[in-house]
Amino acid sequence: MLLYQIQKGSFMSNQFTPEAIRAEFPSLSNIDNGLTPIYFDNPGGTQVHQSVIDAVSNYYLTSNSNKGGAFLTSRRTDETVHDARAAMADLLNARSPSEIVFGPNMTTLTFAFSRALGKRLKPGDEIVLTRLDHDANIAPWLMLADDLGVTVRWVEINTDDCTLNLDSYEAALSDHTRLVAIGHASNAVGTINPLKPLIEMAHAAGAWTFVDAVQSTPHIDVDVQALDADFLACSAYKFFGPHIGVLYGKFDLLESLPAYRVRPAPQATPEKWETGTKSFETLAGTTAAVRYLSGLGIRFGQTEQLPERAAIRAGMSIVAEYEQHLARYLIDGLKAIPGITVRGITDPARMAERVPTVAFALDGHSPRAVAEYLGNQAIYVWSGNYYAQEIMQALDYPEGMVRVGLAHYNTRSEVERLLNVLGSL
């Protein structure tokens, strides 16, 4: 059972505290102008666990080669690729490691994959997009629609709490819908979309679904089988790993779609989707990042060894519960500061409907000025639209907002320091 002591500002889940793991993230002890930095820039990229650093280093020391060769380091590289696919299949609960594709990042994978899906579209077909999404799950489909003469239909948001307007979603679907591109969680305001019923509605209309899970994967358990997503993309550098993107696809769909590839490259799924030489060292780091998350489940969730998938679910449950309470403290503190407006879900009873990514505006100060002021105090936040320009336009913030993103290694005292510095503005 998870235990909380909210009034004292502490969280316990079988002895889990952020202090129990912070020493395992070496960068958290860096110094910036005499101060220990506070990393609230996590939605743009988390800090890296020591095991990830070790895995990348060890790959270069012992396995550095290209794949497919008849010698030791090449065989080790083949194992590195195999292990990374298996690890990501565990993390996302894919049916098979063969449903996992790697690429430089989610954006590049989506652009490349859109060309393949375009082979199945024709003028008169329709693509559904949402105002809540990161542009990486908008621009590729807009460009594809422009190339093919395909119609784009938009899903609007409820501006009061920055959730999807479900009536707008239903109205956007039709017999002509062939693809629904939708985010799992907003990288701007943190909203978690109710994906399962939305995917069911898309499938009922005869459409594929392409899910951006970049912001959800670091914070909640992502289960592609439970969601029944056709395609889902995420990025390892958002869940404490290296800079690499990951695409899940149902095997029969990956197998049937045409891939843009050089002629000598493998023709089988998933290799046919991976153009050129992979970043093998980051694949080693990705495996380590997933094993770190499963390790949380074993260390703090249970007293005995668990199967990998069960351990991941336990670990992500611990992460989610801790972050929800820290996000509640952050949002309550921001709302108490005169001149600050927090957008998105702020109801304390609804913290499970959002990830701990919080956007706010401060009267009389541009988002960049606030970020610079905080940066001078070694508090790292983002400002602007963070490539979520549709929602910023819908909310009428032409300069964007300030974004604070929490991770499970952040502490209540760090949030207090942020609030105190903001109060001085």
Side-chain angles (χ1 to χ4, degrees):
M1 181 177 180
L2 300 176
L3 303 176
Y4 311 96
Q5 294 179 334
I6 306 306
Q7 296 303 316
K8 295 183 180 180
S10 63
F11 167 94
M12 296 184 297
S13 170
N14 290 1
Q15 292 75 53
F16 173 82
T17 64
E19 290 77 15
I21 51 91
R22 282 178 63 86
E24 300 169 22
F25 291 81
S27 60
L28 299 184
S29 60
N30 287 339
I31 299 298
D32 177 359
N33 197 27
L35 298 170
T36 301
I38 298 177
Y39 295 93
F40 286 152
D41 60 330
N42 298 300
T46 53
Q47 298 306 298
V48 176
H49 191 257
Q50 181 65 57
S51 64
V52 175
I53 299 171
D54 293 341
V56 173
S57 176
N58 184 66
Y59 174 81
Y60 278 126
L61 288 171
T62 67
S63 310
N64 193 21
S65 174
N66 216 318
K67 66 182 181 69
F71 48 92
L72 178 60
T73 52
S74 186
R75 291 196 300 272
R76 287 176 175 171
T77 293
D78 291 338
E79 292 173 3
T80 298
V81 176
H82 175 273
D83 291 347
R85 289 200 209 281
M88 284 306 307
D90 287 335
L91 182 66
L92 301 177
N93 197 31
R95 298 165 186 78
S96 164
S98 295
E99 295 181 316
I100 301 298
V101 176
F102 294 108
N105 49 64
M106 179 269 180
T107 304
T108 302
L109 280 167
T110 306
F111 268 110
F113 203 71
S114 69
R115 299 180 70 192
L117 287 177
K119 291 288 189 179
R120 297 291 188 262
L121 302 180
K122 63 183 183 302
D125 288 342
E126 296 176 355
I127 296 174
V128 173
L129 307 177
T130 90
R131 304 287 185 193
L132 198 59
D133 270 76
H134 187 290
D135 215 56
N137 205 24
I138 293 177
W141 311 117
L142 287 177
M143 297 180 74
L144 181 68
D146 186 60
D147 290 343
L148 300 178
V150 170
T151 301
V152 171
R153 296 194 178 277
W154 287 95
V155 180
E156 306 298 334
I157 66 168
N158 302 310
T159 55
D160 56 342
D161 62 358
C162 299
T163 55
L164 281 185
N165 185 308
L166 299 184
D167 290 337
S168 176
Y169 180 79
E170 185 174 9
L173 297 172
S174 76
D175 292 340
H176 300 288
T177 307
R178 295 295 174 263
L179 175 71
V180 174
I182 189 169
H184 197 178
S186 168
N187 76 306
V189 294
T191 307
I192 298 175
N193 288 321
L195 272 191
K196 188 172 179 59
L198 299 180
I199 290 174
E200 289 175 353
M201 292 171 66
H203 287 165
W208 288 325
T209 54
F210 191 99
V211 176
D212 174 1
V214 171
Q215 283 301 314
S216 58
T217 309
H219 304 292
I220 59 178
D221 180 46
V222 177
D223 187 332
V224 294
Q225 293 192 65
L227 294 172
D228 197 24
D230 298 303
F231 308 100
L232 180 145
C234 60
S235 299
Y237 65 98
K238 304 297 176 73
F239 55 85
F240 321 110
H243 288 89
I244 192 169
V246 185
L247 173 69
Y248 156 84
K250 291 180 177 176
F251 183 82
D252 57 340
L253 295 178
L254 292 177
E255 188 73 1
S256 64
L257 287 168
Y260 285 75
R261 45 179 285 280
V262 295
R263 290 172 296 174
Q267 299 183 42
T269 299
E271 288 86 356
K272 73 175 186 178
W273 296 103
E274 297 169 339
T275 57
T277 298
K278 301 177 195 46
S279 176
F280 301 117
E281 66 277 16
T282 58
L283 293 184
T286 298
T287 300
V290 174
R291 301 308 179 219
Y292 163 69
L293 293 172
S294 64
L296 289 177
I298 294 171
R299 291 160 61 185
F300 301 113
Q302 298 287 336
T303 58
E304 59 187 43
Q305 193 77 16
L306 292 171
E308 189 69 16
R309 176 60 190 161
I312 289 170
R313 293 188 65 183
M316 296 312 300
S317 175
I318 290 167
V319 166
E321 295 287 350
Y322 172 73
E323 290 177 344
Q324 286 170 21
H325 287 272
L326 194 61
R328 175 178 174 175
Y329 180 65
L330 168 65
I331 292 171
D332 287 346
L334 289 172
K335 291 168 64 178
I337 298 175
I340 283 186
T341 301
V342 180
R343 301 308 302 258
I345 295 170
T346 60
D347 182 349
R350 298 177 63 193
M351 289 298 103
E353 298 175 40
R354 62 168 302 142
V355 295
T357 298
V358 181
F360 69 89
L362 178 58
D363 292 346
H365 300 273
S366 71
R368 180 70 182 191
V370 175
E372 289 178 353
Y373 185 81
L374 293 171
N376 290 335
Q377 308 293 323
I379 301 174
Y380 302 165
V381 301
W382 283 108
S383 64
N385 63 26
Y386 352 108
Y387 290 76
Q389 67 180 40
E390 290 293 333
I391 188 173
M392 293 303 169
Q393 292 173 1
L395 297 176
D396 196 24
Y397 286 97
E399 293 185 277
M401 291 185 283
V402 181
R403 182 179 68 180
V404 178
L406 305 176
H408 69 297
Y409 50 57
N410 290 126
T411 66
R412 182 183 172 108
S413 63
E414 289 182 324
V415 173
E416 290 172 346
R417 184 170 142 195
L418 167 71
L419 296 174
N420 288 333
V421 173
L422 285 173
S424 71
L425 272 172

